[in-house]
Structures are given as C-alpha cells and as structure tokens.
Amino acid sequence: MNGRIAALAVLLTLAATACGEPTSEEERYLESVAVITAAYQAEVEALPAASTGGDPADAAAFFIGVGEASETARAAIVALEPVEDLAGPHLSFAASVAEFARLSGRIAIGGRSLETQADLLAMANDPVIGVANFNAAAERMVDTCRHLQQAGAEGGTEVDLGCSGLGRG
C-alpha cells in the first residue's frame, strides 16, 4: 500500500508541473484532489468486470482491487490540507471516501472466500456489505465530491474533480 501512496505523491508532483503553476492555494488543493480521483478511477477501470451473474473469482478480484484503490485514495485525501473555505466539504468528502474504503475492505475480505455462484449471491444480498450498501456508499462519495467541487467553484476556482466517475467502483 505504501508504494501506491508514493506513486500517488509522484503523480501529484507531475500534475503540478504539467499544469503549470496554480494561481492559488485553493486551486493547488483542488488539483490535488482531481489527481487523486483520476488515479482511483484509472485503478478501478483496470479491474476485471464483476457481476452477480459472473465468475466469483472475477468478483473477488474486483472487490479486492476496489478495496485497495479506495484505501489508497482515502489515505491521499486525508493527507491533504484544504484551504479554510473548503475545510467542511473536504472533511465530508474524506469521511465518505473513508466509509467507502471501509465497506470496500469488508467486501474484499468476503470476496477472498468466494468460490461459487451461491457465495457471490449471498455476499451481494448481505445486509451489511451487500450491493445496496456498496451503491449507497458510492453515491455518498460522488455527492460529497460534487459538493467539494461546487464549493470550490463558488470560491472562484473551477476544477473538474471527476466526481461522476467515482461511483463506478
């Protein structure tokens, strides 16, 4: 996991130099969030597709990968220090990413034991870690990301955080 965080730090540095010098602390912060969300999305998009009707091994690999990617994103988001005006939306977004990472981690633990279609369906319908809770946590993550992006725009800084793509986990 530490290697992923180090790689993310390199991405942040590259993004800062590639985009030129940001004009404000708020822009630097929001651009950092955008790099983190893009890295998360790239990791998740590289995972094998999973469905409740598919191969349990693919589902296990998917949920393990989402768990790892969301934990990496959580650690990177928590490490950021937002400007004062964005502190509230930052904390809300960080909390929703942490919630999603926790749930993804629990699903990943369950995913390691998937052997049959029945195991996969049982996990999908589990009242604690099932699909409904996973989707609700993903939706909260997208909503709090959009709120953070909107707060930045209201402060005069327009940065696309790629919020819609977060829900694909």
Side-chain angles (χ1 to χ4, degrees):
M1 199 71 67
N2 290 338
R4 289 173 180 246
I5 294 170
L8 194 53
V10 170
L11 282 173
L12 289 171
T13 304
L14 290 173
T17 33
C19 297
E21 191 62 33
T23 58
S24 68
E25 286 295 316
E26 186 171 290
E27 187 177 357
R28 269 190 283 284
Y29 163 75
L30 290 169
E31 285 180 359
S32 295
V33 172
V35 169
I36 293 166
T37 59
Y40 167 81
Q41 290 172 39
E43 276 194 67
V44 170
E45 288 171 2
L47 296 172
S51 71
T52 54
D55 181 359
D58 287 344
F62 175 79
F63 286 118
I64 290 166
V66 169
E68 291 172 353
S70 58
E71 176 54 30
T72 300
R74 183 211 60 80
I77 294 288
V78 168
L80 294 176
E81 291 191 31
V83 294
E84 188 177 327
D85 291 346
L86 298 179
H90 167 84
L91 290 175
S92 294
F93 182 51
S96 70
V97 174
E99 174 192 12
F100 187 75
R102 249 188 329 276
L103 182 59
S104 297
R106 290 175 78 182
I107 292 172
I109 289 168
R112 287 184 175 92
S113 64
L114 294 178
E115 295 179 8
T116 66
Q117 192 65 34
D119 293 338
L120 179 57
L121 289 172
M123 188 176 86
N125 294 315
D126 185 280
V128 175
I129 63 170
V131 171
N133 288 337
F134 182 77
N135 290 341
E139 188 175 319
R140 280 188 293 279
M141 188 169 58
V142 169
D143 289 346
T144 57
C145 179
R146 286 183 177 140
H147 183 248
L148 176 60
Q149 182 173 306
Q150 181 62 34
E154 289 170 2
T157 305
E158 299 271 344
V159 176
D160 182 0
L161 301 181
C163 301
S164 296
L166 296 176
R168 288 184 280 199

